[in-house]
Every structure is written in structure tokens, then in C-alpha cells.
Amino acid sequence: MIREGKIAGRAVLIAGQPGTGKTAIAMGMAKALGEDVPFTMMAGSEIFSLEMSKTEALTQAFRRSIGVRIKEETEIIEGEVVEIEIDKSLTSGAKTGRITLKTTDIETQYDLGQKMIEAIQKEKIIAGDVITIDKASGKITRLGRSFARSSDYDAIGGNVRFVQCPEGELQKRKEVVHTVTLHEIDVINSRTQGFIALFSGEVGEIKQEIRDQIDQKVAEWREDGRAEIVPGVLFIDEVHMLDLECFAYVNRAIESESSPIVIMATNRGITKIRQTNQISPHGLPLDLLDRLLIITTKPSTEEEIKEILDIRCQEEDVEMTEDAKELLTKIGINTFFIILIRC
């Protein structure tokens, strides 16, 4: 349903007692949607412990769950290293060098600056390696070892990768795809230190004007074909801990065109909505419940626990006797436990 877009404007509520796999289902859905699909997990109680307003915390969580896949073309030099010459001045100590690269059709020599020489020495590039050089940033990437040099050494490590010598021209244009979240773009544009602000941990509140400008820019990129929106997954555990203000925000946010897939989890039945005397199923307002696809989870049966044990033993290559399996199965039926099996 999610892949076909049939869940737009709706959300999922997973209800069940602790230990029935609510979080595992949400993480499995995120993995099934794709590797670069953003997945944000938060607990309802976190919103009240952060040093910012409740709606700001929810806004950041929603924008963390929306990815932007940006496409850009870059010029690269790709070829097999024929020869590297590095000279060091006796007076100044400055290094100069030349590198000769070739493809199946052409061979060219390039002059090397100080930074390029350091990058080559750091990557331990030698003759016979197939490399790419990003012309904009100067980044050098080793693709592998040329098949033509496979017989140079009698013994070769298992981590050596052999590739064909590139064909055609040395200079090529390559499309590079980056996936970032809207929240990361917000932080970079709202702080003076830019990209470094992502690692400081203290984000604080972000002005709505900045978000509006970013949304407008992303919309322009989409029209030009340079970017596309990747709706991710926002998992809110203990959703019954939210209050009416938070529920009103979530109700409005899931109607947005670029809203992520919102998955909520709760272990409550008929209970009061937080900070009110109103009793409702799962502690959620009725207008929000009408939008939710509710999935109930139940504890694993004896046969399912045995099957989990068998799969875990196969994954970890562990031999276990039938008596041990029976004992662990009984523990799993009577108590909430986590299976920890290691080699």
C-alpha cells in the first residue's frame, strides 16, 4: 500500500502488548522501502524532555524523515595508472610530480600539485591501479587493480579487486546522487558554522522563514529535474504520551503532500487522552483514529518461538540440543525476553 501511494494522508497504528514486535515491524517496513529511505524513531515522552517547544520537536522529527535525492553532474578523470613520478626540491623541499593515465584508446600525462601528491601517497596509489579523480574536489578513488597487472605478483591478498582498463576518453561526465534530509538542510542553512552544526548536537529551534525558503528551493530543484523527494518513515513509540496539541499537529502534518509515512505504536487499550478527562481507544483522539490503519500484534506462540530459535541458531552457526530449545521456549512463553545467541 505504501509503495503504491494508497496510504497518502493516513498513518499506521501498531497496538499490542510489550515484546510483540511493534518496533521490529516499523524497522522492517523502512528497510523494505529502500536503503536510502530516512527512518526516524522517537518516543512520545521525548517531546516533553527536549529544550524546545513540542511542535518544534515534532517538526524536526517530520523533516528528518523526508529525504531529498539531489542529482548533479561532475567531471572526473578515470584511467589506469601507467607511471607516477614525484620529485622533491633540495632547496625548498617542495614536491612536484607527474602522473600518466591511460584508457584502451588514449594515454595522457598530468602535472601534480602538492595536495594531489599527498592524496596519492595517502591512498598508496601505484602503477597498475585504476583510479578516478574528481576534477572539482581533487578526491582520488581507487576502483581496483587492472587485469593486465594480475600476474605481476605471485601472492595477492584476498581484498584486492581486479577491474578492466577503462574505455574511451579519460575525462568523463558522471552523475552523482546525494540523499540528505530536509532537517539537515535546515540546520546547515540556519547556523553560521554550516555543515559542522550537524555534529554539534545542539540544534535548537529553527525559524519558519528558513524552512519556507528551503521548501521553495527544493520545489525549484524538483521542477528542474535536479532533485526528488523521498518520503521516509517516522516511528513514534509510546504515542499515548502525546497531548491534544501534539495530536492536532500530527493530524495536520500527515495531510501534507511530502509527509513521511507515520507509524505509531502503543501498548494501551481504552484510556484517557493525556491532560484531559476524555476516554478514548489507545489514548488517541477519535478524529485522528479515523485516519489510522490499526494493526494489532499478539505474543508469539510456542511454535513461532521454536522457529525463531532455529533461525537464530542457523544465522549464528550454533548447535543447540532439543532440551535447551525446549527450556528457552518455555521461558519465552512465560516471560518477555530477548534472545541473545552468539558464536
Side-chain angles (χ1 to χ4, degrees):
M1 288 176 68
I2 293 170
R3 283 175 178 162
E4 293 175 4
K6 293 181 179 179
I7 202 167
R10 297 170 66 87
V12 179
L13 174 66
I14 305 175
Q17 66 189 65
T20 53
K22 299 186 291 293
T23 306
I25 291 171
M27 294 184 72
M29 290 173 68
K31 293 290 183 185
L33 290 171
E35 292 183 2
D36 59 349
V37 172
F39 178 77
T40 306
M41 184 165 64
M42 66 180 301
S45 53
E46 288 180 23
I47 292 172
F48 301 96
S49 59
L50 296 172
E51 295 179 355
M52 61 180 74
S53 66
K54 293 175 286 187
T55 52
E56 175 66 20
L58 282 170
T59 303
Q60 291 189 12
F62 267 84
R63 291 178 75 86
R64 274 195 196 97
S65 308
I66 302 171
V68 182
R69 193 178 287 130
I70 303 169
K71 303 172 186 175
E72 60 180 2
E73 283 192 348
T74 181
E75 289 191 359
I76 62 167
I77 300 171
E78 184 178 33
E80 179 187 334
V81 179
V82 178
E83 186 182 12
I84 300 173
E85 297 178 11
I86 298 175
D87 301 322
K88 187 174 182 180
S89 173
L90 296 175
T91 55
S92 63
K95 291 181 180 179
T96 57
R98 291 171 298 280
I99 185 171
T100 306
L101 298 175
K102 72 168 186 177
T103 64
T104 54
D105 302 331
I106 193 171
E107 182 174 318
T108 308
Q109 190 176 74
Y110 297 94
D111 292 328
L112 297 174
Q114 184 72 27
K115 289 186 177 179
M116 291 295 292
I117 291 172
E118 290 175 0
I120 286 172
Q121 291 175 338
K122 183 180 178 181
E123 294 290 332
K124 298 179 181 178
I125 304 295
I126 58 173
D129 288 341
V130 178
I131 64 170
T132 61
I133 303 173
D134 190 333
K135 289 186 70 175
S137 63
K139 182 183 177 183
I140 298 177
T141 306
R142 188 210 302 259
L143 301 179
R145 190 95 180 136
S146 173
F147 275 112
R149 299 295 189 103
S150 59
S151 58
D152 285 3
Y153 303 99
D154 294 333
I156 298 173
N159 58 348
V160 177
R161 180 167 172 253
F162 288 99
V163 294
Q164 295 286 356
C165 180
E167 299 177 351
E169 295 290 329
L170 278 164
Q171 297 191 32
K172 302 172 183 175
R173 295 189 68 84
K174 184 179 179 182
E175 188 179 77
V176 181
V177 179
H178 308 282
T179 303
V180 295
T181 66
L182 284 178
H183 177 67
E184 290 171 347
I185 302 175
D186 293 344
V187 174
I188 291 169
N189 286 275
S190 64
R191 297 291 178 268
T192 54
Q193 60 266 48
F195 185 75
I196 305 300
L198 291 172
F199 304 97
S200 64
E202 298 178 1
V203 176
E205 297 203 7
I206 299 170
K207 293 180 181 179
Q208 187 58 39
E209 293 82 5
I210 294 173
R211 290 197 174 110
D212 292 340
Q213 292 173 7
I214 290 167
D215 290 343
Q216 185 178 354
K217 194 67 179 177
V218 170
E220 292 176 6
W221 291 346
R222 290 177 68 186
E223 289 179 5
D224 297 340
R226 292 175 53 198
E228 59 179 302
I229 296 294
V230 185
V233 176
L234 172 60
F235 178 65
I236 306 175
D237 204 359
E238 302 173 357
V239 70
H240 55 269
M241 295 295 293
L242 302 183
D243 58 14
L244 281 176
E245 183 182 350
C246 297
F247 285 131
Y249 178 88
V250 172
N251 207 353
R252 182 181 63 84
I254 59 178
E255 294 178 350
S256 172
E257 180 186 353
S258 58
S259 170
I261 299 135
V262 181
I263 302 175
M264 310 175 192
T266 181
N267 55 11
R268 299 295 174 91
I270 305 295
T271 185
K272 288 183 179 180
I273 301 173
R274 184 185 172 100
Q275 295 180 353
T276 68
N277 292 322
Q278 182 181 349
I279 295 176
S280 176
H282 310 296
L284 276 68
L286 294 177
D287 59 339
L288 180 59
L289 277 172
D290 291 339
R291 291 180 172 272
L292 301 180
L293 172 67
I294 301 175
I295 301 170
T296 57
T297 57
K298 297 179 180 178
S300 301
T301 62
E302 185 175 347
E303 291 76 16
E304 289 171 342
I305 293 175
K306 281 184 179 179
E307 189 177 350
I308 292 169
L309 284 169
D310 290 335
I311 294 170
R312 192 66 182 167
C313 288
Q314 290 176 8
E315 287 285 330
E316 298 293 340
D317 196 18
V318 173
E319 293 183 4
M320 187 179 292
T321 62
E322 289 298 324
D323 292 339
K325 287 182 182 179
E326 289 291 337
L327 178 61
L328 285 175
T329 303
K330 288 180 181 178
I331 295 172
I333 293 171
N334 298 324
T335 60
F336 167 57
F337 80 119
I338 300 172
I339 300 171
L340 291 175
I341 298 174
R342 293 287 185 269
C343 294

